[in-house]
Amino acid sequence: MNKFYPALFSCLLLASASWAQHDNNPGSNHGNRFEQLGTMLNTPNGYRSASGAPGPHYWQQKADYEINATLNDDKQRLDGSETITYTNNSPDALTYLWLQLDENQHKKDAEGTTTSESKMQGKMSLRQLQGVMGHNLDLGNHIESVKDANGGTLTYTINETMMRIELPATLAPGAKFKFKVNWWYNISDRMTIGGRGGYEYFPEDNNYLYTMTQWYPRMAVYSDFQGWQNKQFMGSGEFALNFGDFKVNINVPADHVVGGTGQCSNYAQTLTAAQFKRWNAAQSATSPVEVVNLDEVKNTMKGHATARKTWAFHAENVRDFAWVSSRRIVWDAMSTQIEGGRKVMAMSYYGPEAYPLYRKYSSKVVAHTIRTYSKHTIPYPYPVAISVEAANGMEYPMICFNYGRAEKDGTYSEATKNGMIGVIIHEVGHNFFPMIVNSDERQWTWMDEGLNTFVQYLTEQEWDPKFPSSRGPAYKIVDYMKMPKNQLEPIMTNSENIIMFGPNAYAKPATALNVLRETVMGRELFDYAFKTYAKRWAFKHPTPEDLFRTMEDASAVDLDWFWRGWFFGTEPVDVSLDSVKYYRLNTKNPAVEGSVDRAQFDRNLENISTTRNKAAGTRFAVEADTSLQDFYSKWDRFAATPMTTKSYQDMYSALTPDEKKLYDSKSYFYELTFSNKGGLVSPIIIEWTYADGTTEIDNIPAYIWRKNEFKVSKVFAKTKEVKSIKLDPYRQTADIDEANNSWPREYAPSRFELFKQQSLPRGATSGTNPMQEARKGGQ
Ligand SMILES: [Zn+2]
């Protein structure tokens, strides 16, 4: 879809230039890196203001759902009947509606599968082989009927993952349309077919874990900036969804426990008396209370109830609804206070294999996450926040699915523990981006993943200063930024077209925001502006320009160069300290300057000829015959004379007090020349180490490059002599080559290993399980 940047798109065809080089001031001599973005952004209008705030005529559609779902645990099938009330708040009259049938992603001939490249490899996992072979299963949505409120049949057309429903009459601005869809589908095996939802089978106890996501036909988004968002669901580009209210009744085997988006209104019926009592106790508990405990689960897992129960959920102002159901889940809950004093229930659902990790950490990490995000964005507005262990990582409003299972003996590696904490923070954090600040994930992965990964980093670092965050610190993006140009895409790339999804859409925008906060804007200006963005766009649909504009609007920092370089370009930061020139003031005081002049004069007398002549024992004529010496043979041409001394004193006494102060400051002047070898313009951070061992930092904003984007010089006056200079000492600019950052040049030794070592999993400081070793050793 090219509705976003028509002006840019046509220029791109004409000039075939890279985004970074895109000229909107082609006559400029110095380059384009500091020109305003201008036509590269959508034109502001009544819906979206030039300030980055929603405009006076901002509108968005609403979709309310009432759904009855029945889970068949024998056949792994889900049947549903849903009534959608769609409110047309747009100024446009609509003649049809688009719904999303995401489950069609799993069909054997799905577009996402047929258009994915595949290759045979020497070593392939079962899942990779499955991907190459495809499957012959009956997967995907079966639409039984589509009817209006009066039971009249509605015509519909299915195109892959999208379904168009013909409206019986034009839907006027402000009007509502109510209709009903009946459907069913076979739930897919998430562990072999892949995808975000489905079932996981546990052969050891013959039980299933159902994580139900994108499970009902969902309204597509109709917006002011692109009409219907009906770009097909191919697997990478996630979802564009409307806000609405949900009433969902979920019918499952009576021995299942169900958790879902929103609040359950009939725990009194679905839980045992003891469990319901524990649920009530959890309301004021500050550490997790097991509402359904491990002993109960171990017991339930042995049987298969034939009776059924219905769990009734409701959720207000959410963009989606997801749920979990199984007879093999422990459920714990605790209460936490977030900014503004509201109480939120932090809860977790997990199987026995995750118990040693989830019981200890999960709900406390959930609570820490919503508290920390609330501080950096807006107070968490929902009543619950849930983490479910499902050996993956995927987010929905109020509920998300994470990983982290222990060994059979209850021990776990450090990598598993930190991976689990990281994924819970990340997925719970998604409540803010995109569940509340509701960007279009189908178009822009970075708008939720990048922003979320950034706040995830802040949250991890507030959890434990030693937490091994893999994304956020500037130096961690260097390996990606260093890659050959043909493997890089700008952050502003449609989700489906991104090469290297993780570094591009998660790590790079997260790093960019961290650089913006710590190095470009400073925490105070950044935090205010970032909060302003979250406040302005909570429960609305922002676009990239709404973020770009708000960050400037709220801070008075011109950031066009920053967005252009980091978000529209692929160039890396590589600032080189090319030369250092040292200047001292000539005091004209003969008593001071004489020795300096003398040293220089003497140095000129020592050249290769005189040195070798001396070494060869040459008998110099003026030394052999002393009668050749006279006044000038011993004259010190640099010695102070009464005349030169008086001339200096006259000059000095004529200075004003201010001039004298400057004159006496004995400043050392250093002229530094830098070159921009990477292309991405960056602040220059200079650490001076003085001859006396002390250090000082100077921070030069990136604006210094605005008139010459490739080479700049700057003079620094210091009161002390400088011994060495280092650029970016805290590695905060993502400079890809540190070798040219020091004066004199420093060469840090690199280590090499003779033996190939296995690479470690994410967050691991050791690939082993020391906890297990310690236990075996009887410690
Ligand atoms: Zn994510």
Side-chain angles (χ1 to χ4, degrees):
M1 314 246 47
N2 295 315
K3 294 173 187 174
F4 258 87
Y5 297 107
L8 176 72
F9 189 69
S10 55
C11 289
L12 213 59
L13 288 177
L14 288 173
S16 76
S18 80
W19 287 69
Q21 303 309 317
H22 174 74
D23 276 4
N24 52 4
N25 184 8
S28 155
N29 253 337
H30 54 77
N32 212 62
R33 288 176 176 78
F34 287 91
E35 289 306 306
Q36 298 296 291
L37 288 167
T39 52
M40 289 171 79
L41 302 182
N42 266 351
T43 309
N45 53 42
Y47 310 124
R48 280 156 211 277
S49 292
S51 67
H57 305 299
Y58 179 84
W59 54 268
Q60 64 190 20
Q61 308 294 68
K62 186 168 192 251
D64 299 319
Y65 299 82
E66 284 177 37
I67 313 176
N68 294 312
T70 305
L71 175 69
N72 185 327
D73 185 37
D74 299 321
K75 292 183 175 163
Q76 287 75 55
R77 171 179 155 147
L78 187 70
D79 285 66
S81 168
E82 72 186 272
T83 302
I84 302 176
T85 306
Y86 186 70
T87 309
N88 179 18
N89 291 318
S90 84
D92 307 326
L94 302 176
T95 56
Y96 48 78
L97 305 178
W98 281 101
L99 273 81
Q100 315 184 55
L101 305 180
D102 307 273
E103 198 49 39
N104 282 350
Q105 180 212 5
H106 294 137
K107 283 174 91 158
K108 59 172 176 259
D109 55 353
E111 200 181 352
T113 308
T114 54
T115 62
S116 284
E117 279 193 272
S118 53
K119 278 187 180 142
M120 291 303 287
Q121 285 161 23
K123 203 173 165 189
M124 294 180 83
S125 71
L126 225 56
R127 192 156 166 173
Q128 284 172 316
L129 193 63
Q130 173 87 55
V132 172
M133 287 165 62
H135 65 74
N136 247 328
L137 305 167
D138 173 16
L139 298 179
N141 294 83
H142 293 264
I143 300 295
E144 295 285 285
S145 67
V146 183
K147 290 183 174 165
D148 66 18
N150 304 319
T153 299
L154 296 169
T155 310
Y156 63 88
T157 305
I158 294 173
N159 173 13
E160 302 279 344
T161 61
M162 292 289 161
M163 176 166 80
R164 188 185 66 230
I165 296 178
E166 305 306 320
L167 288 165
T170 300
L171 185 63
K176 286 180 196 294
F177 183 67
K178 199 171 183 173
F179 62 104
K180 190 173 177 181
V181 185
N182 284 350
W183 49 265
W184 67 272
Y185 69 88
N186 290 315
I187 301 167
S188 60
D189 178 352
R190 184 165 53 81
M191 309 311 276
T192 58
I193 302 286
R196 290 165 179 76
Y199 69 76
E200 178 180 357
Y201 178 60
F202 295 81
E204 57 273 34
D205 51 80
N206 186 30
N207 277 303
Y208 291 82
L209 169 70
Y210 298 93
T211 52
M212 306 312 296
T213 66
Q214 297 91 246
W215 54 282
Y216 58 95
R218 306 184 295 178
M219 285 303 307
V221 169
Y222 184 77
S223 70
D224 61 284
F225 59 92
Q226 69 174 4
W228 285 106
Q229 172 52 297
N230 52 13
K231 186 170 164 58
Q232 296 290 340
F233 179 41
M234 310 275 285
S236 291
E238 291 184 317
F239 312 111
L241 295 159
N242 304 277
F243 285 106
D245 300 334
F246 284 73
K247 278 187 191 144
V248 181
N249 297 317
I250 303 168
N251 181 269
V252 298
D255 52 0
H256 272 217
V257 167
V258 179
T261 301
Q263 286 169 300
C264 179
S265 52
N266 67 340
Y267 283 147
Q269 285 81 52
T270 52
L271 300 178
T272 66
Q275 289 166 347
F276 190 61
K277 208 174 149 192
R278 287 179 234 142
W279 165 248
N280 285 326
Q283 300 305 307
S284 52
T286 51
S287 60
V289 171
E290 287 178 44
V291 178
V292 175
N293 67 35
L294 187 60
D295 286 342
E296 288 167 329
V297 169
K298 280 182 175 165
N299 194 40
T300 324
M301 275 165 64
K302 292 177 195 152
H304 278 74
T306 49
R308 309 215 26 116
K309 259 183 206 168
T310 298
W311 299 61
F313 288 89
H314 62 96
E316 286 74 42
N317 217 5
V318 287
R319 64 169 232 165
D320 201 0
F321 189 104
W323 50 284
V324 59
S325 182
S326 181
R327 63 175 63 82
R328 61 189 318 293
I329 41 180
V330 173
W331 165 22
D332 75 41
M334 63 178 270
S335 156
T336 189
Q337 302 275 328
I338 51 121
E339 282 215 345
R342 277 193 54 251
K343 187 195 91 172
V344 177
M345 293 304 290
M347 319 206 285
S348 301
Y349 296 78
Y350 41 90
E353 54 285 325
Y355 188 89
L357 274 160
Y358 270 60
R359 178 66 180 84
K360 187 172 175 65
Y361 289 111
S362 181
S363 291
K364 286 193 173 169
V365 175
V366 171
H368 170 74
T369 303
I370 56 173
R371 284 198 305 261
T372 310
Y373 273 68
S374 294
K375 202 168 67 186
H376 290 287
T377 60
I378 60 156
Y380 185 71
Y382 294 130
V384 300
I386 296 169
S387 156
V388 180
E389 202 292 321
N392 63 354
M394 189 55 208
E395 68 276 11
Y396 298 90
M398 299 183 228
I399 187 169
C400 59
F401 304 95
N402 309 305
Y403 64 82
R405 294 178 183 174
E407 305 290 336
K408 286 207 163 24
D409 64 4
T411 64
Y412 42 84
S413 70
E414 193 184 26
T416 303
K417 175 192 162 185
N418 288 333
M420 171 201 68
I421 292 170
V423 74
I424 295 175
I425 292 175
H426 180 93
E427 307 306 345
V428 172
H430 269 303
N431 272 299
F432 296 82
F433 309 100
M435 302 308 158
I436 295 164
V437 179
N438 188 353
S439 59
D440 179 348
E441 299 177 274
R442 186 66 42 89
Q443 176 63 30
W444 307 117
T445 296
W446 70 267
M447 280 201 79
D448 68 299
E449 296 298 355
L451 270 58
N452 181 41
T453 303
F454 164 65
V455 190
Q456 175 194 350
Y457 170 64
L458 303 182
T459 306
E460 287 171 350
Q461 292 306 307
E462 288 190 37
W463 173 263
D464 180 351
K466 290 192 194 131
F467 193 86
S469 294
S470 57
R471 290 161 172 166
Y475 72 91
K476 294 230 170 186
I477 200 67
V478 162
D479 286 343
Y480 172 67
M481 302 286 270
K482 257 188 205 171
M483 289 179 69
K485 283 241 175 292
N486 64 0
Q487 292 183 48
L488 299 173
E489 298 286 351
I491 292 173
M492 287 291 285
T493 296
N494 176 270
S495 185
E496 291 298 337
N497 312 336
I498 296 170
I499 311 169
M500 305 199 59
F501 208 69
N504 176 291
Y506 292 63
K508 190 179 168 186
T511 308
L513 292 171
N514 195 31
V515 169
L516 197 55
R517 180 173 190 251
E518 300 284 16
T519 308
V520 175
M521 297 173 75
R523 289 188 175 191
E524 195 183 346
L525 288 173
F526 177 93
D527 289 350
Y528 179 87
F530 193 70
K531 267 173 103 98
T532 301
Y533 169 71
K535 264 189 250 173
R536 284 177 170 182
W537 292 96
F539 298 106
K540 294 192 172 70
H541 301 284
T543 65
E545 32 279 274
D546 298 321
L547 171 70
F548 297 157
R549 287 174 172 145
T550 294
M551 293 302 291
E552 283 194 342
D553 191 66
S555 69
V557 183
D558 175 12
L559 295 172
D560 286 46
W561 64 271
F562 187 85
W563 310 129
R564 182 190 289 277
W566 278 91
F567 287 75
F568 290 87
T570 58
E571 291 174 331
V573 171
D574 179 12
V575 176
S576 163
L577 174 56
D578 290 345
S579 69
V580 177
K581 286 186 193 161
Y582 167 41
Y583 294 85
R584 234 190 81 253
L585 179 71
N586 186 338
T587 60
K588 300 271 180 64
N589 182 350
V592 173
E593 304 299 335
S595 60
V596 178
D597 294 341
R598 186 180 300 113
Q600 197 162 11
F601 184 85
D602 289 350
R603 191 167 173 253
N604 291 341
L605 288 180
E606 263 175 48
N607 57 47
I608 190 70
S609 302
T610 56
T611 308
R612 284 184 180 166
N613 284 345
K614 275 181 199 159
T618 304
R619 268 177 72 79
F620 299 102
V622 293
E623 288 173 5
D625 181 356
T626 52
S627 73
L628 297 175
Q629 300 193 359
D630 67 354
F631 170 80
Y632 292 106
S633 305
K634 285 183 181 151
W635 176 55
D636 182 356
R637 71 191 65 226
F638 301 108
T641 65
M643 208 171 80
T644 56
T645 304
K646 179 163 191 312
S647 154
Y648 162 70
Q649 283 164 347
D650 290 348
M651 182 276 292
Y652 188 77
S653 52
L655 294 174
T656 66
D658 276 356
E659 286 170 339
K660 265 189 190 137
K661 204 174 158 195
L662 190 68
Y663 193 90
D664 292 339
S665 67
K666 289 180 191 160
S667 290
Y668 297 79
F669 296 88
Y670 293 90
E671 181 190 294
L672 273 52
T673 302
F674 308 95
S675 63
N676 172 11
K677 290 190 175 348
L680 177 47
V681 286
S682 168
I684 306 173
I685 294 135
I686 306 162
E687 183 185 60
W688 308 87
T689 301
Y690 296 106
D692 66 5
T694 58
T695 59
E696 188 191 8
I697 300 256
D698 277 316
N699 196 333
I700 312 301
Y703 240 58
I704 191 169
W705 302 100
R706 72 193 181 281
K707 289 180 181 170
N708 185 335
E709 296 171 358
F710 298 103
K711 208 162 193 69
V712 292
S713 296
K714 191 156 183 75
V715 175
F716 299 84
K718 299 293 179 191
T719 53
K720 293 191 276 190
E721 194 185 345
V722 171
K723 196 174 72 185
S724 63
I725 301 169
K726 195 176 169 76
L727 302 188
D728 195 14
Y730 298 106
R731 296 197 291 172
Q732 67 193 76
T733 67
D735 193 319
I736 63 165
D737 183 7
E738 293 184 76
N740 57 24
N741 284 8
S742 52
W743 174 84
R745 288 284 188 257
E746 273 173 22
Y747 297 97
S750 298
R751 286 189 295 180
F752 67 98
E753 283 179 28
L754 279 178
F755 297 98
K756 232 180 156 175
Q757 214 178 36
Q758 228 184 330
S759 63
L760 301 177
R762 175 177 174 257
T765 50
S766 153
T768 56
N769 181 344
M771 192 177 179
Q772 191 170 54
E773 284 162 27
R775 192 170 291 192
K776 277 182 189 153
Q779 289 174 38

